[in-house]
């Protein structure tokens, strides 16, 4: 019985130690005066498909994807330019967005990074960043336009 209790203790401790930090979905970030966003999810994957080509990250690296929920606080249509959003890695390198998905419509042409959002509406956009990063690196910041935004985790 004692051995079983010790075994359960180590299994529980191992599971708790492996618990990943989750992004705070309630945290609001500012894109512009009338647009704000939350980060709904951050994903990591070793392989990605872009068009007709599959890319595999080298060992120990992962491609980063994010789901943003944008909210337009004005009554007028607003433009979101995803070329203005970059991932900041641990070495302060900036990583551009390579792909934007809106309502299951894939857009990868540079001029298609500009998405519109009608007045007083919310919409979820999924993006994938261009270059893979270390798989254990915590995503801590984004550069939005000219400001660095520190991400908040629970």
């Amino acid at each position: 019985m004692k051995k079983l209790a010790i075994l359960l203790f180590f299994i529980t401790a191992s599971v708790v130690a492996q618990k990943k930090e989750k992004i705070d979905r309630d945290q609001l970030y500012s894109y512009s005066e009338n647009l704000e966003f939350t980060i709904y999810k951050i994903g990591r994957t070793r392989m990605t498909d872009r068009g007709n080509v599959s890319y595999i990250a080298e060992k120990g690296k992962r491609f980063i994807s994010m789901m943003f929920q944008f909210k337009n606080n004005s009554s007028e249509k607003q433009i979101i330019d995803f070329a203005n959003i970059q991932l900041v890695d641990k070495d302060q390198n900036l990583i551009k967005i390579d792909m934007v998905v809106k309502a299951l419509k894939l857009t990868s042409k540079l001029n298609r990074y500009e998405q519109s959002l009608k007045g007083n509406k919310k919409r979820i956009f999924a993006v994938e960043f261009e270059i893979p990063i270390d798989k254990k690196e915590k995503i801590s910041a984004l550069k939005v336009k000219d400001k660095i935004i520190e991400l908040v985790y629970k």
Side-chain angles (χ1 to χ4, degrees):
M1 186 68 169
K2 211 179 216 186
K3 289 181 181 179
L4 180 61
I6 292 171
L7 180 63
L8 287 173
F9 171 77
F10 283 115
I11 291 173
T12 304
S14 175
V15 169
V16 170
Q18 292 177 7
K19 182 181 176 185
K20 293 183 178 182
E21 292 182 317
K22 292 189 177 184
I23 193 77
D24 186 355
R25 292 181 179 180
D26 297 326
Q27 179 67 37
L28 291 175
Y29 305 98
S30 175
Y31 177 82
S32 66
E33 183 179 335
N34 295 317
L35 286 169
E36 61 188 18
F37 66 92
T38 61
I39 298 174
Y40 189 74
K41 183 178 180 179
I42 297 176
R44 297 168 186 268
T45 184
R46 178 119 193 255
M47 187 177 96
T48 184
D49 292 319
R50 296 185 182 157
N52 295 332
V53 181
S54 294
Y55 295 94
I56 299 175
E58 63 187 70
K59 188 174 182 178
K61 304 259 185 183
R62 297 292 182 263
F63 289 101
I64 303 299
S65 60
M66 288 187 180
M67 291 180 71
F68 295 96
Q69 182 177 39
F70 275 84
K71 181 180 179 188
N72 183 351
N73 294 319
S74 75
S75 58
E76 298 176 8
K77 180 171 87 170
Q78 300 291 316
I79 300 295
I80 305 162
D81 186 358
F82 284 94
N84 289 327
I85 300 175
Q86 298 171 312
L87 180 70
V88 181
D89 73 3
K90 66 182 177 187
D91 299 321
Q92 304 304 308
N93 296 317
L94 300 176
I95 302 170
K96 298 185 300 185
I97 290 175
D98 191 45
M99 186 170 57
V100 178
V101 178
K102 173 185 96 172
L104 301 177
K105 295 178 184 173
L106 182 64
T107 60
S108 59
K109 295 179 183 172
L110 201 52
N111 62 349
R112 297 293 297 161
Y113 286 148
E114 292 184 5
Q115 301 291 324
S116 63
L117 185 58
K118 293 180 182 178
N120 299 312
K121 295 288 183 183
K122 290 182 184 179
R123 173 148 301 153
I124 292 179
F125 297 91
V127 302
E128 190 167 281
F129 292 91
E130 188 173 60
I131 301 170
I133 64 171
D134 188 290
K135 72 179 184 179
K136 294 182 181 179
E137 181 177 339
K138 180 180 177 181
I139 309 302
S140 60
L142 292 174
K143 182 178 180 187
V144 178
K145 296 186 179 180
D146 291 327
K147 353 179 248 192
I148 301 294
I149 295 176
E150 298 294 326
L151 303 184
V152 177
Y153 288 83
K154 289 184 178 183

